[in-house]
Amino acid sequence: MNCGDGIDTRLIEELYINLDPIQAGGRLTVDAMKAVLAYGDGYSVCDNCEKPFRLDCIKKPPLAKFHDDLATFVNMDVARLVPGARRGFQAVAGTVVNKGDPVLLTAFSHYTEFLSVEQAGGIPHEVPPDDSQIITADTVAVRIEEITRSTGRPPSLLYVEEVDYQFGNLHPVQEIVKVAHQYDVPVLCNGAYTVGIMPVDGKKIGADFLVGSGHKSMAAPAPSGMLATTSEWADKLFRTTQAKGDITGRTFGVKEVEMMGCTLMGVTSVGMMASFPHVRERVNQFDQHLKRCNQIVDALCSIDGTKVMSEYPRKHPLTRMNTTESFDKIAKTHKKKGFFLLSALRERGITGIIAGSTKVWKFNPYGLTEEQAQYVGDMFVEIAKEDGLSVQT
Amino acid sequence: MNCGDGIDTRLIEELYINLDPIQAGGRLTVDAMKAVLAYGDGYSVCDNCEKPFRLDCIKKPPLAKFHDDLATFVNMDVARLVPGARRGFQAVAGTVVNKGDPVLLTAFSHYTEFLSVEQAGGIPHEVPPDDSQIITADTVAVRIEEITRSTGRPPSLLYVEEVDYQFGNLHPVQEIVKVAHQYDVPVLCNGAYTVGIMPVDGKKIGADFLVGSGHKSMAAPAPSGMLATTSEWADKLFRTTQAKGDITGRTFGVKEVEMMGCTLMGVTSVGMMASFPHVRERVNQFDQHLKRCNQIVDALCSIDGTKVMSEYPRKHPLTRMNTTESFDKIAKTHKKKGFFLLSALRERGITGIIAGSTKVWKFNPYGLTEEQAQYVGDMFVEIAKEDGLSVQT
């Protein structure tokens, strides 16, 4: 089955329980699927564009209201849609980072955060984690002081991940922001794994900038995301163009420089908007998803030699496991080598862990039902037993 | 009928012949619609991502091949997908424009081109058109010399639109590039209205950078577009990250700085790819679309007082009309005022011109069948006659 030009129909979500670390929160809702069909055409949200001709002002479909709702949802003052969280990082870096500026990130910062610093000409520095793989406010303070001493000025920006991509650990962003502000360092809170998955309160965190990902955590098509800020920063971050044509005298209204004008003119914004009522609701069921995640982790850890590398009990479903002393021992003699694990999972209707990985690997069971979570845990145990590993009962 | 959260189902393309100036080339093909459904989920193209972990290297779905095909299609050496043409402008400006650099654009440059210059810190200058509203190579040379004299250096970049958004005129980009290169000024050719609509040959044009729009002209969902360049520029424009974590020692592989890593991870890239075989074919039927456009222009110009402001015969279907001496005279006494024209068109199943405009307005009949074009022309004439305007037969 294909949909033209050798593109196979994607059936992975229909055929498997998908534990992929980055895909769990971006599966469309049924409403988003309907919206995607209705708004597939290029500039489909522009039918009723009117003054001042900007995406966040469009009333039909209700994009203006959606922008307000998004800001409220994360308790920030102003929000904009962006083509992915990375484009939010880029907009913030483009606003506050000048060439040669020291910028502070963490040992868990995503590559796209580094790229945004590099694109703006900043010099990246990292904050190391503590022994529990947590970024602490104390270490942030130490690093700000070190950088200020060595470069002669404080970092122009601190990036901090509410939940990181490596361990899925929850970091004390509220304390971190408080400390950074004592040094007058503005903070970008990366909520790519949290906004749309668990409740996020921007004002409580105190962040100057809060970024979320539509395709990672808000059940939206790619590329989509949101960038929110405070009223203090809004005029700078969302500054409107000052450009003027020297021959024509043209000016360009209220188009925002860092947004490059409008951002998501069709399927992406409408998909995200159609999922939003569900997303707003689902963050309140976060505890259930955590419980199911812990259940799978418990099942995995019942297999002798298996360790959870993420903090435990889990505070976010993205989880890093170490099976060097369990599944990897099997891989050493199995005819399928390291591929045996994914292969055995697939035979049982489960997928999403990296093919060939049996030492350190991640999974994300977000969105599974209780029955599915039980099944996934049981299947890991069944595979372990089948291959002769001991299991604690 | 709605698709959740107060979003009405969009039926405009089903109910009307849509003459909207920017929407004509971005309507999805049937294959794209199927692909959009299959790949709606967030990171849907990432199921089989493998080393070196970059969108343009993914083999299934065949994104790697698609990138090669795109470069071949426009006869350039390397191509990348970007979230809209504007993000292509931004990537080029981020590469070649430094703070304070003079940059040359034209009197017809799009606001997003100006924004990309502003974001990079460049100072915009314009090239005026000649009396026929064409940008000429001679004037480009004059402006480069003027700017070099007044600022002490040549512009670091020239933007030139193959077809502009105001008149839809076709500019002599090949001659312009030749002249700019004599002054060592690199040229970005904006093909947002041409790539995917008419044959475009980047090597023949000689452009250093060629930008196309998926949602404007390649039957793709928004935001999507392409950025192509020569092998001479590829390493600079698509430079890979040099960032390194000072604590962790992490490096970030072959991720490209100006792309922010991967760009279109789902519905947008697959939608564009599914339409591509049709798009590649339709540019060869461009003459038919021009003929139909001229037919409508002829019908309009048969209405006394009506003028075509774009070059004529048309070389691109985006067309600017002046009906100050025809339809606007009706508007002055009509009970619906300037809204009578769109209203009368809508009663006849036609839409897409700006509500209330009866003086200067644009339309784009790209994609109409011969019968539809005939009908549109007839309806303009019928409306004119009904309102007492004289028509030449």
Side-chain angles (χ1 to χ4, degrees):
Chain A
M1 202 166 7
N2 75 70
C3 26
D5 203 25
I7 307 166
D8 291 335
T9 300
R10 182 176 184 260
L11 293 169
I12 202 163
E13 302 292 353
E14 282 76 19
L15 300 179
Y16 296 97
I17 293 174
N18 185 5
L19 303 176
D20 188 284
I22 63 171
Q23 293 179 330
R27 283 187 280 262
L28 296 197
T29 60
V30 173
D31 277 335
M33 201 62 94
K34 283 191 225 167
V36 157
L37 255 191
Y39 286 82
D41 291 334
Y43 284 106
S44 60
V45 304
C46 305
D47 294 331
N48 302 289
C49 186
E50 55 189 12
K51 275 190 183 169
F53 305 115
R54 212 172 61 193
L55 187 79
D56 60 294
C57 304
I58 291 175
K59 293 200 188 71
K60 195 182 167 200
L63 281 161
K65 182 173 178 298
F66 179 46
H67 278 79
D68 291 343
D69 289 349
L70 276 177
T72 304
F73 176 57
V74 294
N75 197 18
M76 295 288 280
D77 297 320
V78 193
R80 292 284 183 273
L81 297 176
V82 286
R86 61 195 72 202
R87 296 293 180 171
F89 307 148
Q90 184 180 25
V92 174
T95 301
V96 304
V97 177
N98 289 305
K99 214 171 173 174
D101 280 2
V103 177
L104 196 53
L105 304 99
T106 82
F108 301 138
S109 287
H110 193 251
Y111 84 85
T112 54
E113 297 175 271
F114 275 85
L115 288 184
S116 69
V117 173
E118 190 172 2
Q119 206 278 332
I123 312 296
H125 300 267
E126 292 177 315
V127 182
D130 69 9
D131 292 342
S132 318
Q133 308 297 353
I134 298 291
I135 304 294
T136 68
D138 285 349
T139 323
V140 167
V142 169
R143 289 295 284 152
I144 291 176
E145 293 195 6
E146 280 174 4
I147 289 161
T148 308
R149 259 197 315 276
S150 65
T151 69
R153 49 187 166 149
S156 58
L157 180 63
L158 167 66
Y159 290 72
V160 64
E161 302 73 38
E162 191 172 20
V163 162
D164 72 86
Y165 78 97
Q166 292 188 25
F167 292 90
N169 287 352
L170 184 67
H171 304 279
V173 283
Q174 190 178 344
E175 294 168 35
I176 290 168
V177 171
K178 201 172 162 195
V179 156
H181 282 175
Q182 285 166 5
Y183 294 92
D184 289 330
V185 176
V187 183
L188 184 165
C189 179
N190 176 357
Y193 278 99
T194 55
V195 174
I197 299 293
M198 53 194 275
V200 175
D201 185 331
K203 284 286 159 70
K204 192 172 162 201
I205 293 169
D208 302 280
F209 313 103
L210 177 63
V211 173
S213 171
H215 52 262
K216 187 170 264 155
S217 297
M218 303 178 80
S224 61
M226 61 167 291
L227 168 60
T229 190
T230 61
S231 46
E232 287 75 23
W233 277 101
D235 286 350
K236 281 185 188 166
L237 179 60
F238 300 129
R239 66 195 178 282
T240 54
T241 175
Q242 302 300 306
K244 189 173 176 174
D246 63 348
I247 300 279
T248 60
R250 282 184 298 164
T251 55
F252 304 96
V254 296
K255 305 291 190 180
E256 293 166 345
V257 178
E258 292 293 345
M259 298 297 100
M260 290 284 122
C262 302
T263 51
L264 311 181
M265 314 80 167
V267 72
T268 40
S269 56
V270 180
M272 200 172 165
M273 182 160 58
S275 277
F276 183 64
H278 307 281
V279 164
R280 189 163 48 185
E281 186 51 32
R282 78 184 188 184
V283 299
N284 300 318
Q285 270 81 59
F286 181 61
D287 283 352
Q288 294 177 25
H289 296 284
L290 270 193
K291 194 180 139 202
R292 291 166 202 164
C293 177
N294 281 320
Q295 191 179 337
I296 297 173
V297 171
D298 291 345
L300 275 162
C301 288
S302 74
I303 302 164
D304 269 0
T306 299
K307 289 176 200 147
V308 55
M309 298 179 77
S310 306
E311 60 185 340
Y312 180 83
R314 303 294 306 118
K315 294 177 182 165
H316 187 279
L318 173 66
T319 300
R320 190 183 217 180
M321 300 301 302
N322 187 327
T323 52
T324 310
E325 297 300 318
S326 53
F327 288 128
D328 193 56
K329 283 162 75 176
I330 307 300
K332 287 197 166 64
T333 58
H334 200 286
K335 65 177 195 286
K336 292 186 182 167
K337 297 186 185 160
F339 295 92
F340 93 92
L341 181 57
L342 180 59
S343 174
L345 287 168
R346 286 203 158 214
E347 283 168 19
R348 292 163 172 84
I350 300 166
T351 193
I353 69 167
I354 289 186
S357 290
T358 45
K359 290 178 181 164
V360 173
W361 48 276
K362 296 188 286 187
F363 75 102
N364 189 343
Y366 182 75
L368 299 196
T369 63
E370 199 163 329
E371 292 70 23
Q372 287 174 320
Q374 178 70 45
Y375 176 74
V376 168
D378 289 349
M379 291 304 103
F380 274 118
V381 168
E382 183 177 290
I383 293 165
K385 283 183 177 165
E386 206 170 83
D387 287 303
L389 295 173
S390 310
V391 174
Q392 308 293 329
T393 47
Chain B
M1 203 166 5
N2 74 72
C3 27
D5 204 27
I7 308 166
D8 292 335
T9 300
R10 181 175 185 259
L11 294 169
I12 203 162
E13 302 291 354
E14 282 76 20
L15 300 178
Y16 296 98
I17 293 174
N18 185 5
L19 303 177
D20 188 284
I22 63 171
Q23 293 179 329
R27 282 186 282 262
L28 296 197
T29 59
V30 174
D31 277 335
M33 201 62 94
K34 282 191 227 166
V36 157
L37 255 190
Y39 286 82
D41 291 334
Y43 284 106
S44 58
V45 304
C46 306
D47 294 332
N48 302 291
C49 185
E50 55 188 12
K51 275 190 183 171
F53 304 116
R54 211 171 63 192
L55 187 79
D56 59 295
C57 304
I58 292 176
K59 293 199 188 73
K60 195 182 166 201
L63 281 160
K65 181 174 178 297
F66 179 46
H67 278 79
D68 291 343
D69 288 349
L70 276 176
T72 304
F73 176 56
V74 294
N75 197 17
M76 296 287 281
D77 296 320
V78 192
R80 292 286 182 272
L81 296 176
V82 286
R86 60 195 73 200
R87 296 294 181 171
F89 306 148
Q90 184 181 25
V92 174
T95 301
V96 303
V97 177
N98 289 305
K99 215 171 174 176
D101 280 1
V103 177
L104 196 53
L105 304 99
T106 81
F108 300 138
S109 287
H110 194 252
Y111 83 86
T112 53
E113 298 175 271
F114 275 85
L115 288 184
S116 68
V117 173
E118 189 171 3
Q119 206 279 332
I123 312 296
H125 299 267
E126 291 176 314
V127 182
D130 69 9
D131 291 344
S132 318
Q133 307 297 352
I134 299 290
I135 304 293
T136 68
D138 286 349
T139 324
V140 167
V142 170
R143 289 295 283 152
I144 291 176
E145 293 197 6
E146 280 173 4
I147 289 161
T148 307
R149 260 198 313 277
S150 65
T151 69
R153 48 188 167 152
S156 58
L157 180 63
L158 166 66
Y159 290 72
V160 64
E161 302 74 37
E162 190 172 20
V163 162
D164 73 85
Y165 78 98
Q166 292 188 27
F167 292 91
N169 287 352
L170 184 68
H171 304 278
V173 284
Q174 190 178 346
E175 293 168 36
I176 290 168
V177 170
K178 199 172 165 194
V179 157
H181 281 176
Q182 285 166 4
Y183 294 93
D184 288 331
V185 175
V187 184
L188 185 165
C189 178
N190 177 358
Y193 279 100
T194 54
V195 175
I197 299 293
M198 52 195 275
V200 174
D201 185 332
K203 284 286 160 70
K204 191 171 164 201
I205 293 169
D208 303 281
F209 313 103
L210 176 64
V211 173
S213 171
H215 52 262
K216 188 169 263 152
S217 298
M218 302 178 80
S224 61
M226 62 166 289
L227 168 60
T229 191
T230 60
S231 47
E232 287 75 23
W233 277 100
D235 286 349
K236 281 186 189 167
L237 179 60
F238 300 129
R239 66 195 177 281
T240 54
T241 176
Q242 301 300 306
K244 188 173 176 175
D246 61 348
I247 300 282
T248 60
R250 284 184 294 164
T251 54
F252 304 96
V254 297
K255 305 289 189 181
E256 293 167 345
V257 179
E258 292 294 345
M259 298 296 101
M260 291 282 123
C262 303
T263 52
L264 310 181
M265 315 80 167
V267 71
T268 38
S269 55
V270 180
M272 199 171 165
M273 182 161 57
S275 277
F276 183 65
H278 307 281
V279 164
R280 188 164 46 186
E281 185 51 33
R282 79 184 188 183
V283 301
N284 299 319
Q285 269 81 57
F286 181 60
D287 283 352
Q288 294 178 26
H289 294 285
L290 269 192
K291 193 180 139 202
R292 291 166 200 164
C293 176
N294 281 320
Q295 189 180 336
I296 297 173
V297 170
D298 291 345
L300 275 161
C301 288
S302 75
I303 302 163
D304 269 1
T306 298
K307 288 176 201 146
V308 54
M309 297 179 76
S310 305
E311 60 186 339
Y312 179 85
R314 303 294 305 119
K315 294 178 183 165
H316 187 280
L318 172 66
T319 301
R320 191 184 216 180
M321 301 299 304
N322 188 328
T323 53
T324 309
E325 297 299 319
S326 54
F327 288 128
D328 193 57
K329 282 161 79 176
I330 307 299
K332 285 198 167 63
T333 58
H334 199 287
K335 65 176 195 286
K336 292 185 183 170
K337 297 184 184 160
F339 294 92
F340 93 91
L341 181 57
L342 179 58
S343 175
L345 287 168
R346 285 202 159 216
E347 283 167 19
R348 291 163 172 83
I350 300 165
T351 192
I353 69 167
I354 288 186
S357 290
T358 44
K359 288 177 182 164
V360 173
W361 48 277
K362 295 188 287 188
F363 75 102
N364 189 343
Y366 182 75
L368 300 196
T369 62
E370 198 162 332
E371 291 71 22
Q372 287 174 322
Q374 178 71 43
Y375 176 74
V376 168
D378 288 350
M379 289 306 102
F380 274 118
V381 167
E382 183 177 288
I383 293 165
K385 282 183 177 166
E386 205 171 83
D387 287 303
L389 296 172
S390 309
V391 173
Q392 308 292 331
T393 47

